[in-house]
Amino acid sequence: MSFAGWLLIAAFVVEFLLFTFLRNIFGAALSPVVLWLAGVGVGISGLWAFRGRSLPVLRPATKAQLMSAALLLGALVAFGLRVARMLGKVPIDPALSDVIPSIQVMVQRWLAHEAVYVPILDFGYIIYPTYLPLTWLPFVPAELMHIDYRWVAFAGFGVALAVGVGLLMRRRLPLPITLALAAAPLLLLQAILQTDPNTLTRTVELLIVGFYLLLAFSLWRGPWWVQALCLTVCLLSRFSLVFWVPLWLAILWQQQGRIVALRVTALVAALVLAIYIVPFLSHDWGTFARAQDTYTGAAIGEWEQPPAGRPEHLYRGVGLAAFFHRLAPGDIAQRVQLVRLVHAGVCVAVVVAAAAYWFGRQPRLDYRIYGLLALKIYLATFYAFVQVPYIYLTLVGVAMAWPILLLLRGGGPDEEPALVPASAGVS
């Protein structure tokens, strides 16, 4: 493995530790900066680690690899049994968190053919529903079968893990490397269980992580329609990648031609219309704007100084909002508005820089790998500057390092010829 490859692994390890066992180790000021730079470092080091290399060759898995895959999936099942015991001790309770209870209300309204996006009054206070359809629609089967919603989230993550392990097993890497790479998401789950179990018991973030992992795999192995489906699922659940999408479509246009890019765009647009705009947004065009106002109002509440101490979620070592809370001028509302503007600005800046580098420098990188690296850098930045840096939100950006690790070489010729034109892929 090259020096850049080891540098990528080092950046991943630093990000993993600062997100879990070493969270806030450098204090609330420095820790989120280092965490953000480590996430960006995973993507930046990948620019060198994958330079001049195309995607790995996928061959039929050997019996030993299939047995290894079965063992890893068995480990996931065993982990699931442990989670089951934990979920049995932690009921879904709006007094602890209104994330899952709000999703339950939205699902029940939809099944009863009631308006979904109207204020929720069930918990003793008013909540304006903010979740997009693919955050709550996947839980309809759980409601119908009276299954704990958290199992749907765990199953979604499990599906993405199975897809990733399946791709990894077909790479024919040395067995120790294969096992180490395949175990990474399980280690992440274990670390979360030890350092922030609320992510598993009070949210459905594992489902969102699963969506984004499937998108990552579709970038380098899926046909255009699979990419479109994964883009839609991400946009209509946690739409964090919205600024990155035009960059990917522009790269597709350059590398695969306008027909493919237009097909992806058209299918995504059609699905967004069919799943969200026509059945929900068209009935009340102010729904989305009110959802954003709700997020802002909730952020202001989170930023309010408690009688003793500091706002909990701003000083947990995973986001830069603490700098704005402590140093920005104006009242709380003005500081929240400032961090929102900076958040949008830096996200757009990352995309513009990524586009300028790709189309201006024409690096010797497979365009699919570059799209994945750019997405990792973008998400690390997005969640670093979010107005309320909940730990569970940051998990999405951290988990996106795993698909990049799966592309590293472990020795031996396991690459296929590049599929990019020489004029666009070689400098």
Side-chain angles (χ1 to χ4, degrees):
M1 188 181 297
S2 66
F3 173 77
W6 286 111
L7 190 63
L8 191 158
I9 292 175
F12 161 73
V13 171
V14 171
E15 183 185 33
F16 170 83
L17 290 175
L18 288 179
F19 177 66
T20 55
F21 299 112
L22 301 183
R23 187 185 307 132
N24 231 352
I25 189 172
F26 300 121
L30 186 57
S31 293
V33 175
V34 181
L35 175 63
W36 170 45
L37 293 178
V40 171
V42 171
I44 295 295
S45 58
L47 297 177
W48 284 272
F50 301 112
R51 185 179 297 275
R53 298 176 180 175
S54 55
L55 292 173
V57 169
L58 299 183
R59 301 181 177 90
T62 64
K63 290 183 179 180
Q65 289 170 322
L66 291 175
M67 290 179 62
S68 300
L71 288 173
L72 288 164
L73 294 177
L76 179 64
V77 172
F79 189 90
L81 295 175
R82 182 181 177 188
V83 171
R85 292 193 294 271
M86 182 178 64
L87 296 183
K89 299 176 182 178
V90 182
I92 297 173
D93 185 352
L96 300 175
S97 170
D98 58 27
V99 172
I100 300 176
S102 296
I103 292 174
Q104 288 177 317
V105 171
M106 298 175 78
V107 169
Q108 291 163 2
R109 286 175 173 178
W110 186 76
L111 289 173
H113 306 287
E114 300 174 357
V116 174
Y117 289 96
V118 295
I120 296 174
L121 308 175
D122 302 53
F123 313 134
Y125 51 91
I126 299 176
I127 298 178
Y128 288 93
T130 58
Y131 299 121
L132 292 172
L134 291 182
T135 304
W136 55 268
L137 277 174
F139 297 93
V140 168
E143 179 67 27
L144 293 173
M145 294 185 289
H146 306 288
I147 297 173
D148 191 318
Y149 280 31
R150 294 168 291 188
W151 279 116
V152 175
F154 189 82
F157 179 81
V159 169
L161 188 146
V163 171
V165 169
L167 293 172
L168 175 62
M169 292 299 167
R170 294 176 59 193
R171 285 202 54 193
R172 298 287 184 90
L173 292 171
L175 188 58
I177 295 176
T178 298
L179 292 175
L181 291 174
L186 293 178
L187 292 175
L188 180 60
L189 277 185
Q190 175 61 33
I192 293 169
L193 193 61
Q194 292 182 233
T195 61
D196 190 58
N198 290 341
T199 296
L200 301 183
T201 59
R202 299 182 186 176
T203 79
V204 295
E205 202 63 20
L206 283 183
L207 178 64
I208 309 301
V209 172
F211 288 161
Y212 272 76
L213 290 177
L214 290 174
L215 171 64
F217 299 136
S218 77
L219 294 186
W220 57 278
R221 292 309 303 181
W224 69 268
W225 58 271
V226 172
Q227 288 185 23
L229 289 176
C230 291
L231 281 170
T232 303
V233 168
C234 291
L235 285 170
L236 291 183
S237 55
R238 178 93 63 237
F239 63 98
S240 312
L241 78 170
V242 64
F243 293 125
W244 171 87
V245 172
L247 170 65
W248 177 244
L249 293 176
I251 293 175
L252 269 185
W253 187 298
Q254 180 203 48
Q255 297 292 324
Q256 291 290 311
R258 63 184 178 89
I259 298 300
V260 171
L262 291 175
R263 282 176 176 174
V264 172
T265 303
L267 182 53
V268 170
L271 290 172
V272 170
L273 279 169
I275 297 172
Y276 179 48
I277 294 179
V278 172
F280 300 112
L281 190 60
S282 65
H283 296 283
D284 183 356
W285 293 102
T287 297
F288 188 81
R290 283 196 297 274
Q292 302 315 303
D293 290 340
T294 298
Y295 281 126
T296 300
I300 292 173
E302 292 284 3
W303 280 49
E304 293 288 349
Q305 193 82 17
R310 302 175 299 187
E312 177 187 4
H313 295 293
L314 270 62
Y315 289 88
R316 301 188 71 180
V318 297
L320 302 174
F323 287 95
F324 296 85
H325 178 265
R326 186 176 55 182
L327 303 174
D331 58 23
I332 292 294
Q334 291 171 324
R335 280 178 271 172
V336 169
Q337 183 62 24
L338 177 61
V339 76
R340 291 185 65 192
L341 293 173
V342 172
H343 183 209
V346 294
C347 288
V348 171
V350 167
V351 171
V352 170
Y357 184 75
W358 177 259
F359 294 104
R361 293 289 299 276
Q362 298 184 353
R364 295 179 60 243
L365 283 167
D366 187 285
Y367 73 96
R368 294 158 289 190
I369 296 177
Y370 185 79
L372 183 55
L373 295 175
L375 180 58
K376 169 60 180 173
I377 295 171
Y378 170 84
L379 289 175
T381 302
F382 184 96
Y383 288 110
F385 285 86
V386 73
Q387 58 191 3
V388 181
Y390 296 112
I391 290 173
Y392 72 88
L393 293 178
T394 312
L395 175 61
V396 175
V398 174
M400 289 300 287
W402 186 51
I404 296 173
L405 292 176
L406 297 186
L407 295 173
L408 286 171
R409 293 188 68 181
D414 75 329
E415 292 185 341
E416 61 187 9
L419 299 179
V420 297
S423 61
V426 180
S427 59

